Amino acid sequence: EADIYQTPRYLVIGTGKKITLECSQTMGHDKMYWYQQDPGMELHLIHYSYGVNSTEKGDLSSESTVSRIRTEHFPLTLESARPSHTSQYLCASSEGLARRDEQFFGPGTRLTVL
Amino acid sequence: AQSVAQPEDQVNVAEGNPLTVKCTYSVSGNPYLFWYVQYPNRGLQFLLKYITGDNLVKGSYGFEAEFNKSQTSFHLKKPSALVSDSALYFCAVRDGSTGANNLFFGTGTRLTVIP
């Protein structure tokens, strides 16, 4: 089983709150990703990182921001949560820069904004 | 542009019978194809991938998938289904010929194996 962790697993908050979703991996992987997944729908890439101090936006526009100060840590922040942000957020990592590498996923954070 | 289609939202199969979960893809270059499985309250787990070489790829838990370039398909198969195989299955594709790093996922197929 992959060593990639996400906290919290579930979060219910009110509109306007600032939240940070945590993601950590102990595999020393260079690349990390954040996906958004609505129930019964496909995953959409919202952010990714090639390594420390590298972050890029993905296909799906997102009001969230990310940082990569340490290799093992890739937190996602929403400055002011809204009901439209209600979704499941999945973090993933892969070993190197090769596009053939598979990704390892965390268990996800299910976010509900009231 | 890259895309993945999983035409079946739901697949039901009796335990012990063979199962197939369908996937077709579209990429402009060489396809890198992946299958992932998602169990309830758990993250996606990698099952297998096709990068190059033999069209029949074997993966975890007895699953295999066949790459068919002419039909642009990468169907997931297992000769004998187990109740524990019941889960949500995602096909994903990346264009191996470009510098793009994005992995495009299908909408998922829910597999239910009936005892």
Side-chain angles (χ1 to χ4, degrees):
Chain A
E1 192 161 326
D3 296 320
I4 180 164
Y5 308 98
Q6 290 185 244
T7 57
R9 293 290 309 278
Y10 303 92
L11 180 61
V12 180
I13 61 167
T15 297
K17 300 291 186 183
K18 177 180 178 179
I19 59 168
T20 296
L21 308 184
E22 301 288 349
C23 175
S24 296
Q25 50 95 4
T26 59
M27 298 173 282
H29 287 172
D30 291 319
K31 294 186 76 172
M32 296 189 73
Y33 316 79
W34 276 104
Y35 292 88
Q36 187 172 339
Q37 181 188 25
D38 291 325
M41 301 294 287
E42 64 265 47
L43 283 71
H44 291 287
L45 183 69
I46 52 175
H47 298 283
Y48 61 98
S49 166
Y50 293 127
V52 172
N53 294 325
S54 153
T55 61
E56 302 285 345
K57 288 188 179 295
D59 300 315
L60 184 66
S61 175
S62 174
E63 295 167 339
S64 59
T65 59
V66 291
S67 62
R68 189 87 183 276
I69 299 173
R70 303 197 316 266
T71 297
E72 63 272 20
H73 197 212
F74 191 41
L76 181 146
T77 298
L78 279 165
E79 290 293 332
S80 179
R82 295 206 303 270
S84 60
H85 296 140
T86 295
S87 188
Q88 174 156 256
Y89 293 85
L90 295 173
C91 181
S93 70
S94 61
E95 184 171 358
L97 299 180
R99 294 187 296 276
R100 63 185 61 199
D101 292 332
E102 61 268 27
Q103 297 179 11
F104 295 88
F105 284 81
T109 295
R110 189 169 296 280
L111 172 65
T112 302
V113 183
L114 302 175
Chain B
Q2 300 146 83
S3 66
V4 173
Q6 292 182 243
E8 300 159 318
D9 292 334
Q10 174 82 39
V11 170
N12 296 326
V13 63
E15 185 177 22
N17 283 2
L19 68 87
T20 299
V21 182
K22 295 179 180 178
C23 171
T24 58
Y25 65 90
S26 174
V27 293
S28 54
N30 293 325
Y32 289 174
L33 294 153
F34 302 80
W35 274 103
Y36 287 84
V37 59
Q38 187 174 34
Y39 297 103
N41 299 315
R42 297 183 64 180
L44 272 73
Q45 295 179 29
F46 168 76
L47 276 179
L48 50 79
K49 66 181 177 182
Y50 171 82
I51 303 300
T52 187
D54 195 347
N55 289 345
L56 185 64
V57 178
K58 293 187 183 296
S60 307
Y61 312 120
F63 284 93
E64 58 188 28
E66 185 167 12
F67 170 64
N68 188 317
K69 187 174 182 178
S70 62
Q71 296 184 4
T72 61
S73 67
F74 190 56
H75 301 331
L76 181 71
K77 299 181 179 183
K78 187 173 182 179
S80 179
L82 300 173
V83 173
S84 57
D85 292 331
S86 298
L88 190 57
Y89 290 81
F90 289 92
C91 182
V93 68
R94 176 183 285 140
D95 190 332
S97 303
T98 71
N101 290 282
N102 294 356
L103 192 60
F104 288 85
F105 285 82
T107 53
T109 298
R110 186 165 298 282
L111 172 68
T112 300
V113 181
I114 303 164

